[in-house]
Amino acid sequence: MSPTSRSPRAATTARPAAARAASRGDATAGRGESVGRAYAQLRELIVRGRLAPGTRIVESDIAARLGVSRTPTRSALHRLQQEGYIVAAEGTREQRLVVAPLTQDDARELFHIVGQLEALAARQAAELPAPARTALVRTLRRLNGELADAAHGERPDPMRLFDSDTAFHHAYVEGGGGPRLLALHDAIKPQSERYVRLYISSLVDEIDTSVAEHDAIIRHIEAGEPQAAHAAVDTNWRNAAGRLGRVIEALGERGSW
């Protein structure tokens, strides 16, 4: 028998083994997709406030709500806990998970972290070749103008303000950020958005200040000034943390006891 030939029995047993391996691979891929869907859906519920701050997380209830089994739900919850969307409640004998509360200290830390990530993206955006910077600046001016228009309407729509502000920041982060920065930004930015969504109605009068701070960011990116662009974004986020902190102090924290 030649080295490359197989007996009929060997060939027969090889095929089921290959089939079993392929089946295991399909099952693993399927579980990964289920975990990804569960994670995305659950994070969206938290970010949009449909699972309120401080809400107790019951694994079986979440699985039923998402329409998936408890195994991918458990994996999704674990990932969300690692990223800070879910925390262990304090003062309980057994670990009980809850949706992360919205507090002044947490808001300040989140805004400073997001500010540093976005400042780095702005620095890199200011280092782009002139044609790319010109195109980005054109987009930023349009988006900042839309934010200003939304704030000056007869009855400003808080969610329109939120969307316009988010789009502005997203534009220069996408324009300047690399894949690692974008991945970190995607993991942390929605946590800050929880605060803005909830308190935006009380921040409407501060929009003109934000627009002016955005103008500074635009000018420095357009001029190709990396350090100044970095500083302008950091200033915007630090001031935003201060503005939000005053609102939280007036209206109270959520989900914290």
Side-chain angles (χ1 to χ4, degrees):
M1 181 179 295
S2 69
T4 57
S5 63
R6 293 184 180 180
S7 69
R9 181 180 177 184
T12 300
T13 57
R15 282 194 295 271
R20 287 194 297 272
S23 178
R24 286 194 298 270
D26 290 345
T28 300
R31 284 195 297 271
E33 290 175 1
S34 296
V35 172
R37 285 197 302 271
Y39 166 81
Q41 291 172 351
L42 189 51
R43 189 176 83 159
E44 187 75 359
L45 291 172
I46 294 171
V47 170
R48 292 185 175 274
R50 292 170 185 162
L51 282 175
T55 299
R56 183 179 179 184
I57 298 295
V58 179
E59 186 180 293
S60 57
D61 292 347
I62 294 296
R65 182 168 183 169
L66 300 181
V68 297
S69 70
R70 293 181 68 169
T71 298
T73 299
R74 189 176 303 117
S75 297
L77 289 173
H78 179 66
R79 180 177 171 186
L80 288 164
Q81 187 177 6
Q82 287 182 317
E83 294 181 356
Y85 291 93
I86 292 171
V87 298
E90 297 180 359
T92 56
R93 291 185 177 181
E94 58 183 34
Q95 188 182 61
R96 187 178 69 182
L97 297 179
V98 298
V99 176
L102 300 182
T103 69
Q104 282 185 285
D105 288 345
D106 184 56
R108 186 182 306 109
E109 181 179 49
L110 274 172
F111 274 46
H112 289 176
I113 291 171
V114 173
Q116 287 301 303
L117 288 173
E118 294 202 356
L120 179 56
R123 171 189 289 270
Q124 294 173 179
E127 294 172 341
L128 292 170
R133 288 204 318 275
T134 298
L136 176 57
V137 164
R138 188 181 304 117
T139 298
L140 292 173
R141 285 208 173 105
R142 174 178 59 78
L143 293 171
N144 205 33
E146 291 175 1
L147 177 60
D149 291 343
H152 295 150
E154 185 175 345
R155 298 181 62 182
D157 179 357
M159 292 318 300
R160 183 184 170 195
L161 294 172
F162 170 83
D163 290 339
S164 296
D165 183 71
T166 300
F168 174 84
H169 288 274
H170 181 76
Y172 69 77
V173 170
E174 283 284 329
R180 290 184 184 274
L181 191 154
L182 293 176
L184 289 170
H185 187 262
D186 180 65
I188 196 74
K189 179 68 181 291
Q191 296 191 56
S192 69
E193 291 175 359
R194 294 177 65 211
Y195 286 89
V196 181
R197 285 180 181 276
L198 184 60
Y199 294 104
I200 185 67
S201 297
S202 300
L203 292 166
V204 171
D205 292 340
E206 304 282 359
I207 296 299
D208 282 343
T209 303
S210 293
V211 169
E213 292 170 357
H214 292 175
D215 279 335
I217 296 170
I218 295 170
R219 288 197 307 272
H220 294 308
I221 291 176
E222 182 178 32
E225 299 170 342
Q227 290 184 341
H230 185 288
V233 171
D234 184 51
T235 296
N236 178 227
W237 276 99
R238 286 184 178 276
N239 289 347
R243 291 189 284 267
L244 178 62
R246 291 190 292 274
V247 170
I248 295 176
E249 186 174 1
L251 299 181
E253 299 178 339
R254 303 296 176 90
S256 178
W257 299 277

